[in-house]
Amino acid sequence: MVRVALVTCADGPDVAEDRDLPVLVRALNQAGAEASVEVWDDAGVDWARFDLAVIRSTWDYSWRAAEFTAWAERCGALTRLANPADVVRWNTDKRYLADLAAAGVPVVETRYLAPGDTVELPDDHEFVVKPASGAGARFAARYTPGEHDTAVRHVRRMHDDGFTAMVQPYVRAIDSGGERALQFFGGKLLHASRKGPVLAPGTPYDQRKTAHPGLTDWTATADELAVAEAALSAVPGAPELLYARVDLVDGDDGRPRVMELELVEPNLFLWLHPGSLPVVAERIIEAAGRRRPSAGAAPR
């Protein structure tokens, strides 16, 4: 019997509920695995006792990125970690969008402002400011050129907290076509979803937002699938990915572009796609059975 840890975070006021977690634990146990939910920063967890640790809802990682990536390195030295620690390190910093763009993947145009950089913002179009390490629209806001001073204060607040800021044009097609999330598991398309716009005009950056408003089932188009697969192929080192979510929006030319590539802890939305649950459980158990012994692992 394989042992699987589904990795989450401790409850807190800024942490959303993972609706899929108890359902997935039950499905894995019914399929013959020994599955349990473990908190990533719980010092009492013996990660070496598991055949596989699957990062699921560590949704506090974005404001503790250095601590989280260090944990991923330690955990990955003791057992098989999905996704691998080097992928986690690369993907927790959204400057990965520049890597995708350099590889020819169509992405939303992005500039980065690190602490100490001069804060230069657009003066001729609506734009979005958000942290390069962020999740769930935390510390993200939408601005018009007339809100320049408020946006500058937003960037400086992030700089004071040690974060690099991202500046992107507001993609107008989101208001009509929404944002599409293509979910992959075991290297194959699992399902797709569409959600409405997250950032309403005038919403303060420090106000909590609904991360996935109006979520519905979606059938991916051929163009969307091609862009998603190109993004996954451009991940450095061509790693083995147990799971991935590619978030797409339409550019002004009507063609899909990558908004985000979620390789750390993407919400699976199994509550919306219950038919995917057996597939996810099967592929997790298959991955657990491929555990490679580590020099640091305790004897079993």
Side-chain angles (χ1 to χ4, degrees):
M1 177 182 294
V2 295
R3 297 170 177 165
V4 177
L6 299 179
V7 189
T8 187
C9 62
D11 291 337
D14 296 321
V15 177
E17 177 190 5
D18 183 355
R19 296 171 59 180
D20 292 333
L21 202 55
V23 177
L24 185 53
V25 170
R26 186 163 56 249
L28 286 167
N29 288 331
Q30 289 175 348
E34 181 184 318
S36 62
V37 176
E38 308 292 345
V39 173
W40 71 269
D41 59 350
D42 181 350
V45 178
D46 177 12
W47 299 105
R49 70 178 292 269
F50 296 102
D51 297 294
L52 176 69
V54 185
I55 302 174
R56 284 307 329 120
S57 45
T58 55
W59 292 335
D60 62 349
Y61 90 86
S62 64
W63 56 93
R64 303 169 61 190
E67 185 181 352
F68 181 72
T69 53
W71 164 81
E73 296 284 356
R74 293 193 303 273
C75 184
L78 295 170
T79 188
R80 186 181 183 92
L81 178 67
N83 282 322
D86 55 347
V87 172
V88 170
R89 186 173 296 281
W90 178 77
N91 195 234
T92 52
D93 187 333
K94 290 187 175 62
R95 281 176 285 197
Y96 66 73
L97 288 171
D99 295 339
L100 297 183
V105 179
V107 303
V108 174
E109 179 184 346
T110 306
R111 289 193 299 115
Y112 302 92
L113 299 173
D117 288 348
T118 300
V119 181
E120 296 182 353
L121 299 172
D123 58 6
D124 60 350
H125 61 266
E126 200 170 10
F127 59 95
V128 171
V129 173
K130 57 187 178 183
S133 177
R138 181 176 181 269
F139 268 31
R142 171 180 171 183
Y143 297 103
T144 65
E147 297 170 304
H148 176 272
D149 291 346
T150 303
V152 168
R153 289 194 295 272
H154 178 184
V155 173
R156 288 177 175 162
R157 165 67 189 281
M158 283 192 285
H159 285 177
D160 288 344
D161 289 346
F163 289 102
T164 291
M166 301 170 58
V167 182
Q168 298 174 318
Y170 183 73
V171 182
R172 293 171 294 178
I174 292 176
D175 292 335
S176 55
E179 182 177 334
R180 280 87 68 202
L182 274 61
Q183 198 91 47
F184 293 78
F185 221 93
K188 299 178 181 178
L189 181 67
L190 181 68
H191 54 238
S193 313
R194 180 173 66 176
K195 68 179 181 181
V198 174
L199 300 177
T203 302
Y205 69 87
D206 54 357
Q207 180 174 313
R208 187 168 180 176
K209 304 166 188 72
T210 301
H212 307 290
L215 196 69
T216 59
D217 190 12
W218 178 255
T219 300
T221 67
D223 281 349
E224 290 169 349
L225 188 57
V227 171
E229 291 176 340
L232 294 176
S233 296
V235 177
E240 180 181 350
L241 301 173
L242 178 61
Y243 54 83
R245 196 181 81 213
V246 188
D247 293 343
L248 302 172
V249 294
D250 289 334
D252 289 342
D253 59 359
R255 303 293 296 274
R257 297 174 181 269
V258 176
M259 173 71 80
E260 291 190 8
L261 177 59
E262 298 274 4
L263 306 180
V264 180
E265 35 58 270
N267 197 321
L268 297 179
F269 308 132
L270 293 176
W271 58 269
L272 180 64
H273 304 275
S276 295
L277 181 60
V279 178
V280 170
E282 177 184 358
R283 291 177 185 169
I284 287 176
I285 291 173
E286 288 175 354
R290 296 196 302 270
R291 180 181 179 182
R292 293 185 296 269
S294 168
R300 297 175 55 195

